[in-house]
């Protein structure tokens, strides 16, 4: 289990670095948006390229930070129901959800997006809007983002299994004091 936990730690560090680096693009997005709005209203001048830069930056943040969001446990979940269940059951729900939903969905999107990116790259596809940008860089964000999400899903799966086997402390328990049954199950 130690080699898998080392791999998990490496994946976590990669997504942590990507997330902390890429989320600075939000500031760039605000600056570009403000500048574009200022030019449009003061000088009655605007550019599709600047609008597309905003769109590209948003897509980059959204896609490349998906793995980071999973790492930080800030993705959408139904805590109203799951939060009332024993911690061990919550971990099993995360394991099943990762295997049954996250991996197939991410693999499907990765599989479908790669040829779309390659076609755009080989054609040097340009935006159809006047003054628009080249499209392949933003299309590359789809397979990159879902690759990072799949890797983080694997990392989370490793950690959940390690918690169940006792090879890792449960950071998600947050020191809650649960009553335990005779077999150690939280109730």
């Amino acid at each position: 289990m130690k080699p898998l936990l080392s791999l998990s730690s490496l994946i976590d560090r990669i997504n942590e670095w990507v997330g902390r680096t890429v989320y600075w693009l939000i500031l760039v997005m605000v600056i570009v948006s403000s500048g574009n709005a200022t030019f449009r209203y003061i000088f009655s001048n605007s550019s599709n390229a600047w609008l597309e830069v905003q769109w590209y930056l948003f897509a980059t943040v959204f896609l490349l930070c998906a793995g980071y969001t999973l790492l930080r446990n800030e993705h959408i979940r139904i805590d109203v129901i799951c939060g009332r269940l024993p911690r061990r059951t919550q971990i099993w729900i995360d394991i099943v959800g990762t295997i049954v939903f996250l991996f197939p969905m991410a693999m499907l999107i990765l599989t479908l997006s790669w040829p779309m990116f390659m076609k755009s790259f080989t054609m040097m596809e340009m935006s159809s809007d006047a003054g628009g940008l080249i499209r392949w860089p933003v299309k590359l964000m789809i397979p990159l983002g879902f690759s990072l999400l799949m890797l983080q899903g694997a990392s989370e799966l490793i950690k959940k299994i390690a918690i169940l086997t006792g090879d890792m402390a449960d950071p998600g328990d947050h020191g809650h004091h649960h009553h335990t049954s005779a077999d150690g199950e939280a109730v």
Side-chain angles (χ1 to χ4, degrees):
M1 189 54 114
K2 279 190 178 192
L4 289 175
L5 285 170
S6 294
L7 175 62
S8 172
S9 179
L10 173 64
I11 293 168
D12 289 354
R13 285 192 309 275
I14 290 168
N15 269 312
E16 184 76 29
W17 181 83
V18 169
R20 288 186 177 271
T21 303
V22 170
Y23 70 42
W24 281 100
L25 292 179
I26 295 170
L27 177 61
V28 175
M29 210 176 350
V30 169
I31 292 168
V32 168
S33 178
S34 300
N36 195 30
T38 301
F39 271 87
R40 185 172 56 248
Y41 290 113
I42 292 177
F43 302 111
S44 296
N45 188 3
S46 185
S47 164
N48 285 330
W50 286 110
L51 293 172
E52 287 186 14
V53 165
Q54 290 172 234
W55 176 65
Y56 284 23
L57 290 170
F58 176 78
T60 300
V61 170
F62 180 81
L63 290 164
L64 296 187
C65 286
Y68 175 72
T69 303
L70 182 58
L71 167 67
R72 310 294 277 165
N73 198 25
E74 294 177 359
H75 56 286
I76 297 173
R77 59 185 329 143
I78 306 173
D79 283 336
V80 173
I81 297 167
C82 197
R84 298 172 188 251
L85 298 173
R87 183 66 183 139
R88 193 166 181 85
T89 303
Q90 293 174 7
I91 292 169
W92 274 108
I93 289 170
D94 285 346
I95 289 171
V96 170
T98 299
I99 294 169
V100 173
F101 297 109
L102 188 142
F103 285 157
M105 177 270 312
M107 183 55 89
L108 177 66
I109 293 173
L110 181 60
T111 302
L112 294 173
S113 66
W114 185 255
M116 181 184 66
F117 155 70
M118 288 302 297
K119 181 179 178 185
S120 180
F121 179 74
T122 56
M123 290 177 36
M124 286 298 162
E125 179 185 8
M126 294 293 295
S127 169
S128 59
D129 295 325
L133 303 176
I134 194 163
R135 289 287 167 123
W136 71 261
V138 74
K139 289 186 177 183
L140 176 60
M141 295 304 113
I142 301 168
L144 283 178
F146 279 92
S147 295
L148 289 169
L149 181 61
M150 269 184 39
L151 283 171
Q152 193 59 49
S155 174
E156 297 305 311
L157 188 61
I158 291 166
K159 290 184 281 192
K160 299 297 184 200
I161 292 169
I163 291 167
L164 289 177
T165 60
D167 291 307
M168 180 179 164
D170 184 1
D173 199 8
H174 301 300
H176 295 293
H177 300 288
H178 298 287
H179 297 288
T180 55
S181 63
D183 64 354
E185 181 78 22
V187 284

